[in-house]
Amino acid sequence: HGSMPLTAIQLMNQMNSKYLFILCLALLANPFLSFAQGSTLSEEPKIFPKDIASLSGNYTGTLMYVDYTSGNPFTMRADLIIEPGKNEYALTLKNIYPTEPKANNKTKFSISKDGRSINGKTIISREANELSETMFTVEYAGKDGNDGKKATIRSIYAIADDSFVIRKKVKFLDQDDWILRNEFKYQRE
């Protein structure tokens, strides 16, 4: 018995099946290649205007910082007033130190329109924790310490309905360990 020639429709179906199979293999192979390169399947971490929209308000709290000369932590009262900025991507932070009013200051908290940075620093992670906080970590090269040594610096922003925490961690280039440099912990009034 000889085989019957394929009709045009049968040939197209067979070709489409082959192309579909190859396309599926290519799509399935890509995540494995990404894993081999140390990446994950998730998108780049981002922050959105909705993540910061509820932050406006008055907060009371503390500032803890490590005195590099003594190596000891020091804690003082620190209050915060957060106001909307010029648009949905910006906030104004008024830092108030009741025991050191000369240190009071105003800073901006801004997110990029593409959601990939906070205050111009690239977001390296976005995580939720058991305290119902959404934590955003940015990392950048900078200088820190009494002698301005080169370091990798991480700022971690933990946002929740009733709290806001900002941590600064430092890893000097000649060290392996991260140091908690300072931490602002605020509770909504």
Side-chain angles (χ1 to χ4, degrees):
H1 294 275
S3 62
M4 303 226 3
L6 294 174
T7 65
I9 293 175
Q10 288 173 323
L11 185 59
M12 278 181 42
N13 284 339
Q14 194 174 33
M15 286 178 60
N16 286 342
S17 295
K18 286 179 185 177
Y19 287 120
L20 185 59
F21 178 73
I22 290 169
L23 179 62
C24 287
L25 279 179
L27 291 174
L28 287 173
N30 189 28
F32 295 116
L33 293 173
S34 295
F35 282 130
Q37 296 168 1
S39 304
T40 65
L41 288 175
S42 64
E43 292 183 23
E44 290 182 21
K46 291 185 179 181
I47 188 168
F48 303 98
K50 67 180 181 176
D51 294 319
I52 65 171
S54 65
L55 279 173
S56 292
N58 297 342
Y59 296 80
T60 57
T62 58
L63 160 62
M64 184 287 301
Y65 66 89
V66 174
D67 175 31
Y68 280 142
T69 303
S70 69
N72 295 324
F74 177 77
T75 302
M76 63 186 276
R77 182 160 168 209
D79 298 334
L80 179 67
I81 299 171
I82 301 178
E83 298 174 338
K86 61 182 178 184
N87 58 41
E88 66 182 342
Y89 298 94
L91 298 169
T92 299
L93 281 59
K94 294 180 180 178
N95 297 292
I96 302 164
Y97 304 100
T99 59
E100 288 191 38
K102 289 182 181 177
N104 292 355
N105 63 66
K106 185 166 45 170
T107 61
K108 300 285 183 194
F109 181 93
S110 62
I111 62 175
S112 61
K113 291 197 172 158
D114 67 5
R116 293 188 177 135
S117 66
I118 298 173
N119 294 337
K121 311 292 190 238
T122 301
I123 299 171
I124 62 166
S125 74
R126 176 190 174 123
E127 302 172 24
N129 68 16
E130 67 281 354
L131 301 174
S132 297
E133 294 173 323
T134 303
M135 296 188 310
F136 300 92
T137 302
V138 301
E139 186 175 285
Y140 56 98
K143 293 181 179 183
D144 201 72
N146 294 340
D147 50 358
K149 290 172 36 177
K150 289 184 178 181
T152 301
I153 300 170
R154 284 186 180 163
S155 295
I156 300 118
Y157 303 92
I159 300 171
D161 289 338
D162 61 351
S163 65
F164 184 47
V165 178
I166 304 170
R167 289 180 193 93
K168 178 181 176 184
K169 291 186 173 185
V170 175
K171 185 170 85 168
F172 293 106
L173 296 184
D174 60 351
Q175 296 178 354
D176 294 328
D177 297 326
W178 288 92
I179 300 165
L180 178 60
R181 176 65 168 124
N182 60 48
E183 179 178 66
F184 292 86
K185 289 178 85 168
Y186 300 110
Q187 282 294 128
R188 190 182 297 274
E189 291 182 349

